[in-house]
Amino acid sequence: MPTPYPKLVFASAWVLFWTMKIWVAVQDFIRNGHILQLWKPVLWEGSSALVCTLLTLVQLRLSRGDAHLLATPLRWFARQALFLPMYWIAFVPLAFGLRHGVYGLAGETYTHDALPQLFLYESIKISIFVGLFTAVRFGVESYRALLEQKLRAERANALLRQAQLQRLAQQMQPHFLFNALNTISSLMHSDVDKADATLLRLADVLRATLDLGQHDQAPFGDELRLARGYAGVMAERFAGRVEIDWDVDAAVDGLPVPVMSLQPLLENVFKHTVERRRGLTRIVVSARREADRLVLRVDDDGGRLDGPAGGAAPDTAPAPAHGPHPGSATVTATGGIGLANLRARLAALYDGQAAFDLSARPGGGVRAELRLPCGS
């Protein structure tokens, strides 16, 4: 929808111009000692303002389809010049006719030059006036066209980002479900009761996932509940091989984060470290606000960064979680999707204002750090 502000600027300039014209005429009239007949200069300039306004409105209405010519100024100005004869022909009869009528009602006679000289003089004046405001109008219309073009581009980009985010969200949901079901499948071969309990926990996680899946962002508190649920499911599968500490500042619960942004960081640890180690892996999940950034970290004490695509490499030979069931080896076989998906969503949502990094910890292990803008 066109922005109203350029039109407002043009109208304001128009009113200010004629107000100044009337004011100057009144001051000149007072200096000449005609204080008792101030209606005369008001009539002279007011009639000119009224007629010019009417003729300009006609021109604006008839030239509404000329916006496509703004990119070629010479053609646009040539098109507007075609309206000059309308001003030359109509201005004098309308404006001076008003003056004669008001003077007649006041019992006076309005005098002016002979018609040929009057038409020539007023045509020159009106041409200068129309030229001035046509130039102003060109600037206003060009600015409005620029704003509309920018708005269309922003809307197109927003729709593109929305479509991209929806595609990425649709990718994450079956990916997450696939991994969780494989976890339960592996448990079924070793502990049916635990598998049943994990299935109930998975149902809660999926319910939360479906609720959050309708949005691009969610409060961190909701995202944290989803991540805790996922971690609980995975901890059941790797019972005795993982410990998770949650160091989360409650003050950040209400800050918006991308949906399913913390879960891929945990998934990366389970895929590249926990699943491939025989020993205990300690994981620390932390969330803090630092100035205008929300900083999320997932630290582990056993990963390395010499694996492919930035993934943490194992420090020992892979070991099955609960027996030799084939499904246990493929629980997070597509784990790379999670981080790639997260990077793409960060780019679409924050346009370079968010940062994601995997780095080696000085004491051993890997840190996944996510920095999100959170405003003032």
Side-chain angles (χ1 to χ4, degrees), residues 278-291:
R278 295 184 182 276
L280 178 68
T281 299
R282 293 181 174 84
I283 301 173
V284 178
V285 180
S286 62
R288 291 284 185 278
R289 178 166 182 166
E290 298 180 2

Side-chain angles (χ1 to χ4, degrees), residues 16 50 53 56 63 66 78 102 109 129-130 137 139 150 162 180 186 254 257 286 300 309 314 332 338:
L16 180 61
L50 177 60
T53 299
T56 300
S63 62
D66 296 342
V102 174
T109 301
F129 167 78
V130 171
R137 181 188 167 199
K150 183 179 179 181
Q162 185 67 27
S186 68
V257 298
S286 62
D300 69 76
T332 53

